[in-house]
Amino acid sequence: MSSQDQQQSVKNKLILSYPSSWWGAKWREALPSGNGKIGAAVYGSVYEETIMLTHEELWRGSQTPELPDVSDKLPEVRSLMLGGDAPKANRILADALEERGYKPRMAWPLPLADLKVIMPSPYGFKAYQRELNMETGEVAVSWRDGETRYNRSLFVSRPDDVIVYEIRAEGADKVQAEFRLELHDPKDVRKSATLPEKVEQRTDGEYLFYAAENDDQTDFGAVARVIPQGGTLEAGEDRLKVHGADSVLVILQLFVKGARTAEWSQAQRSLAEIKPSYESLLKSHAVEHGRLFRAVSLDLGAESYTRSNEELLLDAYKGEASLEMTEKMWAYGRYLLISSSRDGGQPCHLYGLWCGEYEGMWAFNMSNENIQMIYWQALTGNMPELLLAMFDYFDRLMDDFRTNAQRLYGCRGIYIPAPTSPDTGLLKHKAPHIIHWTGAAGWIAQHYYDYYLYTGDVQFLRERALPFLRETALFYEDFFFEDEEGYYVSCPSNSPENFPGNYSQGPGKKPLTETAINSTMDFAIAKEVLAHLIEGAEKAEAFADEIGKWKTMLSKIRPYRINEDGAVSEWMHPDFHDNYHHRHQSHIYPVFPGTEVSRDNDPELFEAFVTAAKKRLVIGLKEQTGWSLAHMSNHYARMGEGDLALECLDLLSRTCVINNFYTFHNDWRKMGIGVDADWAPFQIDANMGWSAAIQEMLLFSLNGTIRVLPALPTKWRKGHAGPLLARGAVEVSVAWDQDAGTVELELCSRNRSQTIDIQLPQPVAEVQGFNVDGDRIRNVQLEAGVPVRLVLNYLH
């Protein structure tokens, strides 16, 4: 194999030199595999291997009483807020829920089992390595013991819904291994918790059976078929032992919400029908997984791809993530989304598919930032189908969202609480900053409408996007009220999860209030919802009798407020002062992730948003988190600040990334970048936000204009990417060379003929056959399915 071929073979691999080793929570360092429904996390130990098994439908701990109607308290809240007594108003709704006996509990994902594999190591391991092939979803662990090389490989089949695991020996010795299925190790968690009961394990021939009972009295479990090649298989009461085999194939099927005896029988029959071939099962899986993973490629010109994750992290710790790490982190975020999300299933939550806690901290779907960030990459990353799981989730819970709106605020339409879990969409978290934030539905609606804009799916627009947007606008119609100038008031209001600076009691102390009036984000989201409704309804020729009403509502939203620093204020009401010391950057919404304000359409206001963003980086750096640095990278990219966007990823790489490249909420080492906390929860959102930020630096599209390389960092001298997906369902591939001043483009409109403009970062030379106007190429004609290629040279 040539050195170039060798480089390509490891380009999409994560290579690690150590097994999971974080005492007390080794699951966090495991290498993940998944098919969007079931997951496996491989720890990588030589002697006693652990493979944690998970299922997207396995949740525990929910307590869902009837939500009391506390809407009668709203007039009191508003009277106090408008009278200047925000602290007294802050807890009125929360206390009313308490007084009326509302004691809900949020569900959390439950690990299903551990597959334990015991293998002797008579000579002591050497040449150890574990790796993840992101292109196929395979996790591999290899080492040498004496004169024999051992290899263990695993993947989770997308078409067959099984976990496939193989152990191979190459050399003088054979495979000696013991297999058992058991409850996920209670010592491998952050804190003790009530464990599932009625745990049962048994064997029958080449089959291992395992089950336990969930708190709803349904069973969950797994069946494993163990198939040695050569050697012998010995069955014990609760384990299978293989002696002297050349290789061993293990195929596992998981189940939830069933009765164990029936599920065991069904799984045994199903496993008996599967052809026991690692290669053939991998081939069919790799086609489906690879189709999504390879839909976009990225090359930033890294010199090598052979360094281990540990080496890359040490390099990043010195100050900058290498091009190699930057690329691999982009690919990893893509891999994680593919592996933990698919049409017909649950959306990817904050732990993806791989929660190893019995009471996971923040292990739910969080809609005041996190689930949105998780899916930001899907559309430009040319895998829109992954968003369907999120839409299905929110559509299923619409009745609960209507109940929330009615019983909290006496409103029609929908109110989505920030945290939800698959069992219910009712409000579960009673903190004022959760109750008083009403923007979740509108922010989620952005994804619905963008799905239409990126795919051109008019049926989706009519049947799903517009109805969801309409329900959201209906809530605003009832919730907002007019002030003496005829402008809307949003009260109570929260800017997630911040508090006004003039109500602070000092660092580390609880603020006097989390509740305010007229959060900038409230109206930014509302404006977007109404604008999308008007535009979408006109295109779909739907809701014609309501368009006028929505236009009137838009006119009642006052302009954004600029504070004394020249920054857009986080609250549009003058009684509430800015607090720059915070991780959320909610008031930047009109620039990112929204599209309302740009340098082109309102340069002065745009600069005020830039100022507001930079205040967070300079003044509020100590209050940032892993996901907030990823968010910051995205909005700097949208602002055209490529070097700042990359700096945010550099900060993230040396503070909140561990050796398997999982991103964490905070730097537990307390190095001064980000919030202090003794525990650092794994949060997958920053992984996804990294991938989205890279794509945001390379492409932005809106209203028939495609901006190519809008925030290209100085460090990325040459590279290529694509085909990225732009609004209008246009696929865009781009190659650039900053030193030569050249850009090569290929564009292809997927499903319709259309005319677009292309915008570059700087003026380009004339191109024969195209209308070049400074940094723009105007009126580029695209025929459906026909690629258009351009070679551009920058003017010097």
Side-chain angles (χ1 to χ4, degrees):
M1 182 184 292
S2 68
S3 61
Q4 184 175 1
D5 290 339
Q6 185 180 18
Q7 291 290 330
Q8 287 302 311
S9 71
V10 296
K11 179 179 172 65
N12 290 316
K13 287 184 179 180
L14 301 186
I15 303 166
L16 292 93
S17 301
Y18 294 91
S20 298
S21 56
W22 198 327
W23 180 54
K26 289 192 287 187
W27 66 269
R28 300 193 299 175
E29 291 182 285
L31 286 177
S33 183
N35 68 355
K37 178 179 179 181
I38 58 177
V42 180
Y43 289 33
S45 299
V46 167
Y47 167 67
E48 183 180 327
E49 173 67 295
T50 300
I51 301 166
M52 184 179 71
L53 311 178
T54 56
H55 193 293
E56 67 171 0
E57 298 286 352
L58 186 58
W59 291 66
R60 192 166 199 250
S62 177
Q63 186 171 300
T64 311
E66 183 177 357
L67 179 66
D69 190 334
V70 295
S71 60
D72 60 305
K73 294 290 185 179
L74 181 60
E76 182 183 358
V77 174
R78 287 178 167 171
S79 177
L80 288 166
M81 291 297 302
L82 296 171
D85 198 347
K88 188 173 182 179
N90 187 50
R91 286 203 54 86
I92 286 177
L93 290 180
D95 290 343
L97 290 168
E98 288 281 352
E99 291 162 4
R100 297 175 194 187
Y102 190 54
K103 299 186 183 301
R105 189 169 62 179
M106 185 72 66
W108 54 81
L110 179 68
L112 185 140
D114 285 346
L115 172 65
K116 291 287 189 178
V117 183
I118 309 297
M119 293 180 64
S121 181
Y123 306 103
F125 71 90
K126 294 181 180 179
Y128 175 89
Q129 182 173 291
R130 61 178 173 140
E131 65 180 37
L132 168 62
N133 186 334
M134 294 180 281
E135 197 166 351
T136 63
E138 285 180 282
V139 177
V141 180
S142 62
W143 70 96
R144 193 174 76 249
D145 194 275
E147 298 302 315
T148 302
R149 185 76 183 172
Y150 292 94
N151 294 276
R152 300 194 297 226
S153 300
L154 175 145
F155 66 93
V156 184
S157 172
R158 214 166 175 98
D160 294 304
D161 273 338
V162 292
I163 298 167
V164 185
Y165 183 54
E166 186 175 56
I167 306 173
R168 298 178 299 278
E170 300 172 4
D173 295 322
K174 303 294 185 180
V175 175
Q176 317 288 337
E178 175 186 303
F179 302 90
R180 64 180 188 268
L181 285 164
E182 57 188 41
L183 198 67
H184 178 59
D185 188 351
K187 298 188 296 297
D188 192 41
V189 299
R190 177 176 61 98
K191 65 177 183 177
S192 59
T194 302
L195 301 177
E197 298 179 344
K198 298 183 181 179
V199 179
E200 185 178 359
Q201 298 121 310
R202 66 179 182 85
T203 65
D204 180 7
E206 62 183 7
Y207 293 92
L208 273 172
F209 300 89
Y210 157 86
E213 186 180 80
N214 205 353
D215 59 356
D216 62 357
Q217 284 72 58
T218 64
D219 288 337
F220 62 87
V223 178
R225 183 184 177 194
V226 179
I227 311 160
Q229 295 296 314
T232 61
L233 180 66
E234 174 190 343
E237 183 179 345
D238 62 352
R239 64 198 64 197
L240 294 174
K241 295 182 180 180
V242 171
H243 304 281
D246 297 317
S247 65
V248 183
L249 179 67
V250 183
I251 309 174
L252 299 102
Q253 189 167 90
L254 314 186
F255 65 87
V256 295
K257 300 182 184 298
R260 65 188 65 190
T261 302
E263 295 289 347
W264 281 347
S265 296
Q266 172 59 38
Q268 185 174 9
R269 289 193 298 271
S270 177
L271 290 172
E273 294 173 358
I274 293 177
K275 182 181 178 181
S277 166
Y278 185 91
E279 289 74 19
S280 63
L281 290 167
L282 175 62
K283 184 178 180 180
S284 59
H285 163 73
V287 169
E288 192 169 337
H289 176 93
R291 173 183 61 84
L292 288 163
F293 184 81
R294 291 190 298 272
V296 174
S297 64
L298 172 69
D299 188 338
L300 298 178
E303 293 181 0
S304 168
Y305 297 97
T306 59
R307 287 189 290 171
S308 69
N309 282 21
E310 293 91 348
E311 291 174 296
L312 294 172
L313 282 168
L314 287 171
D315 189 37
Y317 204 73
K318 296 174 184 177
E320 293 183 355
S322 64
L323 293 174
E324 181 181 359
M325 181 176 176
T326 302
E327 281 189 44
K328 288 195 173 188
M329 284 290 290
W330 169 82
Y332 192 42
R334 184 177 186 83
Y335 168 82
L336 290 172
L337 186 59
I338 293 167
S339 300
S340 56
S341 188
R342 74 178 186 186
D343 187 13
Q346 297 292 344
C348 176
H349 59 74
L350 275 165
Y351 285 54
L353 267 180
W354 306 281
C355 180
E357 296 290 327
Y358 279 107
E359 291 186 20
M361 185 175 179
W362 306 328
F364 37 61
N365 294 305
M366 191 70 172
S367 301
N368 69 358
E369 168 84 25
N370 313 88
I371 195 170
Q372 290 93 336
M373 181 182 291
I374 285 169
Y375 283 94
W376 281 343
Q377 63 163 308
L379 292 171
T380 52
N382 213 349
M383 41 190 186
E385 67 194 71
L386 297 185
L387 271 166
L388 296 174
M390 188 174 82
F391 301 146
D392 291 345
Y393 175 80
F394 287 106
D395 285 351
R396 281 196 302 269
L397 299 175
M398 289 293 279
D399 285 342
D400 286 345
F401 300 151
R402 294 185 185 102
T403 298
N404 291 331
Q406 185 62 46
R407 296 186 182 178
L408 292 174
Y409 292 114
C411 295
R412 297 169 297 166
I414 58 174
Y415 166 95
I416 298 179
T420 58
S421 56
D423 62 298
T424 178
L426 293 177
L427 174 77
K428 288 287 191 77
H429 199 305
K430 294 176 289 183
H433 74 268
I434 297 296
I435 297 173
H436 297 153
W437 189 61
T438 57
W443 196 348
I444 295 297
Q446 181 193 78
H447 289 264
Y448 278 78
Y449 197 70
D450 267 351
Y451 180 87
Y452 154 68
L453 291 177
Y454 278 86
T455 64
D457 188 340
V458 178
Q459 182 178 355
F460 180 89
L461 172 68
R462 289 196 184 101
E463 297 178 3
R464 302 191 69 175
L466 288 176
F468 191 93
L469 283 157
R470 183 175 177 272
E471 291 270 4
T472 306
L474 200 59
F475 177 83
Y476 290 136
E477 186 178 346
D478 289 356
F479 180 74
F480 293 155
F481 60 95
E482 294 181 33
D483 63 15
E484 63 279 1
E485 298 178 73
Y487 285 118
Y488 275 143
V489 176
S490 178
C491 177
S493 177
N494 175 265
S495 189
E497 299 169 3
N498 204 355
F499 55 89
N502 52 321
Y503 286 93
S504 172
Q505 298 193 90
K509 295 182 180 180
K510 190 173 182 179
L512 292 171
T513 183
E514 300 167 287
T515 305
I517 302 171
N518 290 357
S519 296
T520 297
M521 191 184 208
D522 283 357
F523 288 121
I525 291 175
K527 288 170 74 174
E528 179 181 78
V529 166
L530 294 166
H532 284 167
L533 264 175
I534 294 163
E535 179 184 80
E538 289 174 345
K539 289 182 178 179
E541 299 180 348
F543 304 121
D545 56 338
E546 297 188 71
I547 292 175
K549 174 184 65 177
W550 295 328
K551 289 181 178 179
T552 299
M553 290 176 67
L554 259 181
S555 70
K556 294 181 180 180
I557 297 176
R558 68 171 58 247
Y560 299 120
R561 186 168 72 94
I562 310 299
N563 67 17
E564 62 278 6
D565 296 321
V568 171
S569 179
E570 195 155 351
W571 292 273
M572 292 162 65
H573 194 286
D575 288 353
F576 301 94
H577 302 170
D578 281 277
N579 174 28
Y580 299 131
H581 297 272
H582 205 264
R583 61 198 176 276
H584 280 266
Q585 302 137 49
S586 308
H587 54 314
I588 313 297
Y589 191 97
V591 173
F592 178 87
T595 58
E596 177 193 351
V597 178
S598 69
R599 184 173 276 112
D600 291 338
N601 67 19
D602 195 333
E604 185 176 344
L605 182 58
F606 180 82
E607 288 304 321
F609 277 107
V610 173
T611 300
K614 289 182 177 179
K615 289 291 185 183
R616 285 292 205 268
L617 185 59
V618 174
I619 295 175
L621 185 61
K622 182 67 179 65
E623 281 70 39
Q624 298 311 306
T625 63
W627 60 260
S628 74
L629 289 168
H631 184 126
M632 199 177 286
S633 179
N634 277 271
H635 71 55
Y636 279 132
R638 182 66 60 85
M639 292 170 177
E641 300 274 3
D643 289 338
L644 282 177
L646 190 58
E647 180 183 343
C648 291
L649 298 185
D650 287 336
L651 288 167
L652 173 59
S653 71
R654 66 180 185 266
T655 56
C656 298
V657 180
I658 64 168
N659 66 341
N660 66 350
F661 280 0
Y662 273 171
T663 55
F664 279 29
H665 175 266
N666 54 275
D667 186 351
W668 62 101
R669 298 159 296 199
K670 301 182 180 179
M671 296 296 286
I673 300 172
V675 297
D676 285 332
D678 294 328
W679 179 256
F682 161 48
Q683 286 189 213
I684 207 169
D685 45 8
N687 281 113
M688 314 305 201
W690 184 299
S691 302
I694 298 294
Q695 293 163 196
E696 190 74 40
M697 295 180 215
L698 299 175
L699 189 76
F700 176 68
S701 56
L702 190 68
N703 298 331
T705 296
I706 296 175
R707 298 180 189 171
V708 178
L709 308 177
L712 188 65
T714 305
K715 183 179 175 181
W716 298 356
R717 302 311 300 169
K718 61 169 60 177
H720 62 80
L724 298 163
L725 188 61
R727 289 178 175 87
V730 178
E731 292 187 342
V732 181
S733 295
V734 56
W736 69 91
D737 185 330
Q738 293 198 69
D739 297 321
T742 58
V743 175
E744 297 180 24
L745 285 176
E746 180 174 300
L747 301 95
C748 184
S749 179
R750 277 184 169 181
N751 47 35
R752 66 185 175 95
S753 298
Q754 58 183 301
T755 301
I756 63 157
D757 286 356
I758 301 169
Q759 186 174 3
L760 280 299
Q762 59 195 70
V764 295
E766 294 296 320
V767 181
Q768 187 174 1
F770 293 93
N771 178 11
V772 177
D773 181 10
D775 63 353
R776 293 174 183 262
I777 304 172
R778 299 192 181 276
N779 302 319
V780 178
Q781 304 293 321
L782 301 178
E783 301 296 327
V786 180
V788 172
R789 297 178 178 86
L790 300 90
V791 178
L792 310 172
N793 291 277
Y794 287 125
L795 293 173
H796 296 286

